[in-house]
Amino acid sequence: MIRSGLLGRAILASSSPRLHEEEARALGLDLTYELFDFTQRGLADADLAGVVDSLKRQGFAGFNVTYPFKQAIMPLMDELAPSAQAAGAVNTVAIRDGRLIGHNTDMPGFRDSLLAGLPGAALGHVIQLGAGGAGSAVANALLSLGVARLELVDPDAARAGALATDLAARYPSARVLVTPLADLDTAPADGIVNATPIGMAAKPGTPIPADAIAAHHWLADIIYFPLETELLRVARSKGCRAINGIGMVVGQAALALGIITGHTPNAERMKRSLA
């Protein structure tokens, strides 16, 4: 049996167990996917190292990582794959001979979902809400696609500043800015990306006021539960082209399942399964 799972907070409603287990069965694999919800289990963030060590001792083949641990888990890795180094975050861990190898499948997952879901989207000026672990992967994906001006908005100014510095060094031809939410002017932007947890079932609401969204914007929300966040509802009511996080979650999940099991999943089949 292959043991895998997901570490995070407020994840009990996650579709990942069904997504991974159904695709594993289709591949002829006996795989279990367990949720390690730190909130539900009464665990502190400081317990992360202990939980990871426990999974290693129990013989897990690997696991996924979500909010709020994608960056906190990096120092626990024995090795970082190039994808994790580039994104500055880990969302997939493979355990090989007792060694923890951190990967990031969020970056290609988001990049591919944006290309497929919003073909031809203007990339001159993009506003990104959120500069955490998922935000780091999303920002790298946006800049790799050729975004010329990326504006980061995050309540943690130090975190946003550190990400901006890293991105500026990696993509010298682009301009990366940090803007406080109170100073944000969305009017000149082509697109808006929500890479915060605001809008999730456990964190309802919108990360920016509804009147900050206009018809000329395209909008991408990386949240997939619920399928339509309040932010997406507002954007679509104004005529914006918009996508939810389904494409990203399926893309990253297919890549993660392949990393953990060594088998090649069928992403289209996984998308149909999730739908």
Side-chain angles (χ1 to χ4, degrees), residues 5 30 85 128 152 158 163 220 229-230 234:
D30 182 11
Q85 293 175 4
Q128 178 178 309
L152 301 175
L163 177 58
T229 61
E230 180 65 14
V234 169

Side-chain angles (χ1 to χ4, degrees), residues 110-136:
F110 177 78
R111 182 189 61 220
D112 294 347
S113 74
L114 186 66
L115 290 172
L118 295 173
L123 299 175
H125 180 184
V126 176
I127 292 170
Q128 178 178 309
L129 311 170
S136 177

